[in-house]
Amino acid sequence: MRKDLAVLPGTVDQDIRRVLMWLDDYVSAPHPDLGRSGDVCPFVRVARMRRHATLALRYDVEGGSGDEVAEAVREEMGEFSQQVPAQTTTRIVVFPAIPDQCWEVVDEVYSELKDEAVGQGLMIGQFHPRCREPAVRNPAFPVSRSPLPLFALRWMAVHDILFLGDRKHWFDRYRARFGTQHQNGRVSDPLLRERYAEALRRYDYR
């Protein structure tokens, strides 16, 4: 949060509690509509236990334009990318001042930001109360609903083939990082192996 902003401490405390409750009660828990077992996000519970999850509350961004939101996320992404790339390291960038009529700006800038994040070996997810992003294994379940508009940053992981096979430059970055694990038979999940093989065929890799 910018230090030159006059935000009431009670407001900050309330927003932090809302996000932490969401992380603990929803993101770090199973959900019957997810389409698989395990937590909604397999990383957050461990990140919280190890104190590897940080929050950035950006009250200076009100969502008047996509450029404003994107620039703030880029600032946070640049800072995050300087950290040691531990798999459980996570940064949650929260925008409490974006009003409900502007929540969709989070979706509008997501694709561009994902390109930039993947190029740095990162993954980014967008969340807000009306987000329609579906679960991978259940397209009918809007998994990315949160109490406040926010983006989540973490380092790329082997299961991210589920999110990176649709564009060649995303897949190339993934393949450079995890291709050896697939080739050596170290990826056990059949769905991950299948998606990786599909991407190899799609982009005519032999």
Side-chain angles (χ1 to χ4, degrees), residues 77-89:
M77 197 184 305
E79 182 176 317
F80 182 81
S81 66
Q82 301 304 309
Q83 300 181 35
V84 176
Q87 193 167 29
T88 56
T89 306

Side-chain angles (χ1 to χ4, degrees), residues 4 29 32 79 93 102 132 141 170 203:
D4 59 337
E79 182 176 317
V93 186
C102 297
R132 298 179 180 178
F141 175 46
W170 293 350
Y203 304 118

Side-chain angles (χ1 to χ4, degrees), residues 19-181:
V19 175
L20 293 182
M21 286 179 62
W22 172 72
L23 290 174
D24 290 339
D25 297 342
Y26 174 71
V27 179
S28 300
H31 195 285
D33 296 328
L34 193 59
R36 61 165 172 80
S37 61
D39 295 346
V40 169
C41 176
F43 297 101
V44 169
R45 183 193 299 270
V46 177
R48 295 269 286 134
M49 291 175 58
R50 295 179 180 176
R51 299 183 182 274
H52 288 175
T54 57
L55 296 183
L57 276 70
R58 297 297 302 256
Y59 291 96
D60 55 319
V61 176
E62 298 181 348
S65 72
D67 290 343
E68 177 192 22
V69 175
E71 185 56 35
V73 176
R74 289 188 184 103
E75 291 175 8
E76 301 294 337
M77 197 184 305
E79 182 176 317
F80 182 81
S81 66
Q82 301 304 309
Q83 300 181 35
V84 176
Q87 193 167 29
T88 56
T89 306
T90 305
R91 188 165 184 82
I92 312 296
V93 186
V94 189
F95 296 97
I98 296 182
D100 56 359
Q101 66 267 26
C102 297
W103 283 339
E104 280 71 17
V105 74
V106 172
D107 301 314
E108 292 169 7
V109 300
Y110 169 65
S111 181
E112 177 183 356
L113 290 171
K114 183 174 178 178
D115 276 343
E116 298 176 22
V118 172
Q120 299 178 50
L122 305 177
M123 292 296 293
I124 187 170
Q126 91 276 30
F127 302 82
H128 61 79
R130 287 196 297 263
C131 188
R132 298 179 180 178
E133 189 72 17
V136 171
R137 293 175 172 86
N138 181 6
F141 175 46
V143 68
S144 297
R145 298 278 171 91
S146 59
L148 294 169
L150 58 89
F151 287 88
L153 298 169
R154 62 171 174 78
W155 292 96
M156 191 181 295
V158 69
H159 82 274
D160 287 323
I161 186 58
L162 298 173
F163 312 109
L164 299 177
D166 293 337
R167 299 187 185 180
K168 186 176 183 297
H169 59 289
W170 293 350
F171 179 66
D172 286 345
R173 183 72 186 196
Y174 176 89
R175 183 169 175 254
R177 174 68 178 82
F178 298 106
T180 300
Q181 292 188 36

